[in-house]
Amino acid sequence: MKESIKRIAVFTSGGDAPGMNAAVRAVVRTASNYDLHVYGIFRGYQGLIEGDLKRLEKRDVGNIIHRGGTILKTARSMDFMTPEGRKKAFDNLKAYDIDACIAIGGNGTLTGANIFTEEYGIPFVGLPGTIDNDLAGTDFSIGFDTAVNTAIEAVDKIRDTAASHNRLFFIEVMGRHSGYIALYTAIGSGAGSVLIPEVNTSTDALIQQLKQSHIRKKQFSLVIVAEGNENGTAHEVAKRVQDELGDLYEAKVTTLGHLQRGGSPSSADRVLSSRLGHSAVMALIEGNHNVMVGISKGKVSFTPISKAILGQNKINKDLIEMAQILAI
Ligand code: F6P
């Protein structure tokens, strides 16, 4: 063990994601197994700037593995984007004698960690915590599986109404820059069409698809719309489609919104979070610093944070093709 790391801090930042608590639990318990002291920083970078830290011991993270949200709370900090904010953050880490940090969050969180280590040399390990699953260097991020399960459960219910009324439903799911939630939801719920930022499907092309499926005697249709797709919100797309196809289908819209961010983490997210949290502490102990811990082909992997924030987890194009074949 490197002598230098004795006290570490852990925090969650950006959008909450189911499984963050399981990751915090794994960090605290692994660290205490190796006699490291852990401090929890509340409200992410903002809490670090304001000195909102508390010692966390083994028992403090009991009874949280199954809970959604984050016991450490979270925030999107504007102050941390300023050099003055980061200086205060550094001063607080020094005041608590903290040697290294574990940051759990999405691209914004890891970008902050990257700038901070460059400026102050504090070792960081990042964990991908975002329902969007958009970080390079990991096949899956914490919260994605649960969010997809939640979305599929909702679409299953909407399907009942769509089928009973012969309606066309547009269901908007989250994913600012990524179609992962939308594509997995479409495949898992058997939806007919999906609009994602990674594939340019115009509204006109969608209208043609829907016309064709009506000719094939499809009585109802489900369209999954990723928040970040290029045609606009589900409401905007639905309006254009309704104007064209109003005599074939009645169009309805459901936006799932923050429903997708909450709830008890799935088994996959609990196991993933536990593995990543454990590996993050081991990485710090072994001197493997400034990396994001991810999962690649079933194995724990390490990617420099500077690289993870530049790339995007690419969608497998075969899956898009498969979704189209199965939805016929
Ligand atoms: O990054 C996760 C995410 O849930 C995105 O899918 C979504 O666009 C965004 O956060 C919403 O953020 P907020 O809760 O701050 O409105």
Side-chain angles (χ1 to χ4, degrees):
M1 185 192 296
K2 291 241 151 78
E3 281 306 309
S4 51
I5 306 260
K6 291 194 178 67
R7 287 181 177 217
I8 65 172
V10 60
F11 64 92
T12 52
S13 166
D16 63 324
M20 281 180 161
N21 284 328
V24 171
R25 171 181 178 269
V27 166
V28 172
R29 294 204 169 158
T30 306
S32 51
N33 188 55
Y34 292 95
D35 297 324
L36 303 181
H37 286 190
V38 184
Y39 281 78
I41 301 171
F42 290 81
R43 294 176 294 118
Y45 291 114
Q46 194 59 35
L48 179 55
I49 290 169
E50 293 170 19
D52 197 359
L53 288 80
K54 182 179 158 249
R55 176 84 197 273
L56 292 177
E57 309 215 41
K58 277 183 260 194
R59 296 266 50 88
D60 294 324
V61 291
N63 202 26
I64 64 166
I65 192 167
H66 61 298
R67 283 169 58 187
T70 159
I71 60 157
L72 293 180
K73 305 205 179 260
T74 186
R76 300 191 196 274
S77 173
M78 292 301 159
D79 293 342
F80 196 74
M81 293 180 184
T82 67
E84 297 76 28
R86 293 194 292 277
K87 168 80 172 62
K88 281 189 195 153
F90 175 71
D91 290 344
N92 281 329
L93 285 180
K94 285 296 107 194
Y96 281 83
D97 219 6
I98 285 162
D99 306 310
C101 290
I102 295 179
I104 309 171
N107 195 289
T109 304
L110 298 189
T111 302
N114 195 45
I115 296 171
F116 197 58
T117 33
E118 271 176 13
E119 286 177 351
Y120 291 103
I122 298 277
F124 263 72
V125 169
L127 297 193
T130 166
I131 64 166
D132 290 355
N133 202 31
D134 57 352
L135 280 163
T138 188
D139 290 346
F140 296 107
S141 59
I142 293 167
F144 169 68
D145 184 70
T146 309
V148 170
N149 282 323
T150 302
I152 288 177
E153 204 182 320
V155 177
D156 285 350
K157 288 179 178 157
I158 290 168
R159 172 184 278 277
D160 289 344
T161 302
S164 303
H165 288 260
N166 286 351
R167 280 179 181 163
L168 169 60
F169 263 93
F170 291 83
I171 301 133
E172 184 174 304
V173 297
M174 278 186 165
R176 255 182 306 204
H177 309 292
S178 166
Y180 256 99
I181 297 176
L183 182 61
Y184 273 58
T185 300
I187 294 170
S189 65
S193 311
V194 59
L195 298 179
I196 57 176
E198 292 84 348
V199 176
N200 192 5
T201 310
S202 66
T203 310
D204 287 337
L206 175 67
I207 290 169
Q208 289 315 314
Q209 268 179 32
L210 293 167
K211 272 189 187 157
Q212 289 304 317
S213 45
H214 193 264
I215 291 167
R216 290 195 310 273
K217 307 260 180 291
K218 222 171 173 175
Q219 292 184 324
F220 69 94
S221 270
L222 302 169
V223 181
I224 310 296
V225 181
E227 187 186 9
N229 91 94
E230 287 175 1
N231 301 285
T233 64
H235 277 283
E236 287 162 353
V237 177
K239 179 156 185 341
R240 276 209 52 211
V241 173
Q242 179 77 81
D243 289 345
E244 290 277 331
L245 301 182
D247 48 341
L248 304 184
Y249 291 115
E250 184 187 1
K252 295 278 177 182
V253 179
T254 303
T255 301
L256 297 183
H258 288 82
L259 255 185
Q260 298 157 92
R261 284 243 296 265
S264 186
S266 65
S267 57
D269 270 325
R270 294 180 198 197
V271 174
L272 175 70
S273 304
S274 300
R275 289 181 77 186
L276 298 186
H278 171 79
S279 302
V281 175
M282 297 314 293
L284 282 178
I285 289 173
E286 286 157 12
N288 190 7
H289 297 163
N290 307 330
V291 290
M292 185 193 82
V293 187
I295 205 90
S296 300
K297 301 195 174 96
K299 294 211 164 71
V300 170
S301 60
F302 302 92
T303 309
I305 292 179
S306 54
K307 203 168 152 204
I309 56 176
L310 290 182
Q312 168 133 2
N313 193 11
K314 295 250 177 342
I315 291 234
N316 178 348
K317 299 272 183 224
D318 294 348
L319 286 184
I320 299 171
E321 209 182 304
M322 185 197 78
Q324 281 161 355
I325 292 170
L326 300 186
I328 213 79

mmCIF file of all heavy atoms in Angstrom, residues 76 130-132 174-176 227 258 261, ligand 1:
data_model
loop_
_atom_site.group_PDB
_atom_site.id
_atom_site.type_symbol
_atom_site.label_atom_id
_atom_site.label_comp_id
_atom_site.label_asym_id
_atom_site.label_seq_id
_atom_site.Cartn_x
_atom_site.Cartn_y
_atom_site.Cartn_z
ATOM 1 N N ARG A 76 -25.459 20.513 -9.153
ATOM 2 C CA ARG A 76 -24.665 20.924 -10.320
ATOM 3 C C ARG A 76 -24.073 22.278 -9.936
ATOM 4 O O ARG A 76 -24.789 23.266 -9.864
ATOM 5 C CB ARG A 76 -25.551 21.040 -11.567
ATOM 6 C CG ARG A 76 -26.261 19.726 -11.959
ATOM 7 C CD ARG A 76 -26.886 19.835 -13.328
ATOM 8 N NE ARG A 76 -27.863 18.782 -13.600
ATOM 9 C CZ ARG A 76 -27.591 17.580 -14.081
ATOM 10 N NH1 ARG A 76 -26.350 17.243 -14.325
ATOM 11 N NH2 ARG A 76 -28.556 16.707 -14.318
ATOM 12 N N THR A 130 -24.435 7.809 -14.099
ATOM 13 C CA THR A 130 -25.419 8.566 -14.887
ATOM 14 C C THR A 130 -26.360 7.599 -15.581
ATOM 15 O O THR A 130 -25.907 6.599 -16.141
ATOM 16 C CB THR A 130 -24.743 9.478 -15.939
ATOM 17 O OG1 THR A 130 -25.754 9.909 -16.872
ATOM 18 C CG2 THR A 130 -23.624 8.811 -16.697
ATOM 19 N N ILE A 131 -27.650 7.928 -15.554
ATOM 20 C CA ILE A 131 -28.595 7.030 -16.234
ATOM 21 C C ILE A 131 -28.386 7.083 -17.752
ATOM 22 O O ILE A 131 -28.822 6.191 -18.459
ATOM 23 C CB ILE A 131 -30.074 7.352 -15.894
ATOM 24 C CG1 ILE A 131 -30.476 8.746 -16.386
ATOM 25 C CG2 ILE A 131 -30.329 7.187 -14.397
ATOM 26 C CD1 ILE A 131 -31.995 8.964 -16.379
ATOM 27 N N ASP A 132 -27.714 8.118 -18.245
ATOM 28 C CA ASP A 132 -27.580 8.300 -19.706
ATOM 29 C C ASP A 132 -26.672 7.267 -20.381
ATOM 30 O O ASP A 132 -26.755 7.076 -21.591
ATOM 31 C CB ASP A 132 -27.021 9.695 -20.021
ATOM 32 C CG ASP A 132 -28.035 10.793 -19.722
ATOM 33 O OD1 ASP A 132 -29.173 10.468 -19.369
ATOM 34 O OD2 ASP A 132 -27.668 11.973 -19.835
ATOM 35 N N MET A 174 -35.337 10.075 -21.171
ATOM 36 C CA MET A 174 -34.200 10.969 -20.969
ATOM 37 C C MET A 174 -33.005 10.574 -21.842
ATOM 38 O O MET A 174 -32.985 9.478 -22.420
ATOM 39 C CB MET A 174 -33.794 10.985 -19.503
ATOM 40 C CG MET A 174 -34.653 11.929 -18.674
ATOM 41 S SD MET A 174 -34.039 12.044 -16.996
ATOM 42 C CE MET A 174 -34.925 13.505 -16.438
ATOM 43 N N GLY A 175 -32.019 11.421 -21.853
ATOM 44 C CA GLY A 175 -30.811 11.195 -22.652
ATOM 45 C C GLY A 175 -30.542 12.449 -23.457
ATOM 46 O O GLY A 175 -30.986 12.567 -24.594
ATOM 47 N N ARG A 176 -29.860 13.387 -22.827
ATOM 48 C CA ARG A 176 -29.604 14.690 -23.455
ATOM 49 C C ARG A 176 -28.816 14.566 -24.745
ATOM 50 O O ARG A 176 -29.098 15.212 -25.729
ATOM 51 C CB ARG A 176 -28.799 15.552 -22.488
ATOM 52 C CG ARG A 176 -29.620 16.614 -21.848
ATOM 53 C CD ARG A 176 -28.758 17.438 -20.971
ATOM 54 N NE ARG A 176 -28.019 16.603 -20.015
ATOM 55 C CZ ARG A 176 -27.567 17.049 -18.866
ATOM 56 N NH1 ARG A 176 -27.768 18.298 -18.541
ATOM 57 N NH2 ARG A 176 -26.910 16.260 -18.043
ATOM 58 N N GLU A 227 -34.816 12.276 -25.581
ATOM 59 C CA GLU A 227 -34.822 13.717 -25.313
ATOM 60 C C GLU A 227 -33.911 14.496 -26.288
ATOM 61 O O GLU A 227 -34.271 15.565 -26.768
ATOM 62 C CB GLU A 227 -34.284 13.854 -23.884
ATOM 63 C CG GLU A 227 -34.311 15.171 -23.257
ATOM 64 C CD GLU A 227 -33.599 15.115 -21.883
ATOM 65 O OE1 GLU A 227 -32.958 14.102 -21.541
ATOM 66 O OE2 GLU A 227 -33.694 16.109 -21.164
ATOM 67 N N HIS A 258 -38.416 12.691 -14.871
ATOM 68 C CA HIS A 258 -37.607 12.285 -13.715
ATOM 69 C C HIS A 258 -38.049 10.989 -13.050
ATOM 70 O O HIS A 258 -37.343 10.493 -12.167
ATOM 71 C CB HIS A 258 -37.540 13.427 -12.695
ATOM 72 C CG HIS A 258 -36.678 14.552 -13.174
ATOM 73 N ND1 HIS A 258 -37.142 15.511 -14.042
ATOM 74 C CD2 HIS A 258 -35.365 14.837 -12.959
ATOM 75 C CE1 HIS A 258 -36.153 16.360 -14.315
ATOM 76 N NE2 HIS A 258 -35.065 15.969 -13.680
ATOM 77 N N ARG A 261 -35.207 8.642 -13.074
ATOM 78 C CA ARG A 261 -33.994 8.816 -12.274
ATOM 79 C C ARG A 261 -34.107 8.204 -10.880
ATOM 80 O O ARG A 261 -33.100 7.950 -10.225
ATOM 81 C CB ARG A 261 -33.656 10.307 -12.166
ATOM 82 C CG ARG A 261 -33.050 10.882 -13.415
ATOM 83 C CD ARG A 261 -31.639 11.368 -13.179
ATOM 84 N NE ARG A 261 -31.607 12.455 -12.259
ATOM 85 C CZ ARG A 261 -31.598 13.738 -12.580
ATOM 86 N NH1 ARG A 261 -31.637 14.095 -13.851
ATOM 87 N NH2 ARG A 261 -31.544 14.657 -11.664
HETATM 88 O O1 F6P B 1 -27.716 13.379 -17.162
HETATM 89 C C1 F6P B 1 -28.810 12.750 -16.623
HETATM 90 C C2 F6P B 1 -30.086 13.471 -16.968
HETATM 91 O O2 F6P B 1 -31.123 12.769 -16.344
HETATM 92 C C3 F6P B 1 -30.355 13.671 -18.452
HETATM 93 O O3 F6P B 1 -30.847 12.526 -19.087
HETATM 94 C C4 F6P B 1 -31.332 14.811 -18.410
HETATM 95 O O4 F6P B 1 -31.323 15.523 -19.612
HETATM 96 C C5 F6P B 1 -30.816 15.653 -17.294
HETATM 97 O O5 F6P B 1 -30.088 14.792 -16.430
HETATM 98 C C6 F6P B 1 -31.866 16.387 -16.501
HETATM 99 O O6 F6P B 1 -31.236 17.141 -15.506
HETATM 100 P P1 F6P B 1 -31.975 17.914 -14.344
HETATM 101 O O7 F6P B 1 -32.492 16.913 -13.366
HETATM 102 O O8 F6P B 1 -30.921 18.784 -13.746
HETATM 103 O O9 F6P B 1 -33.104 18.662 -14.993
#
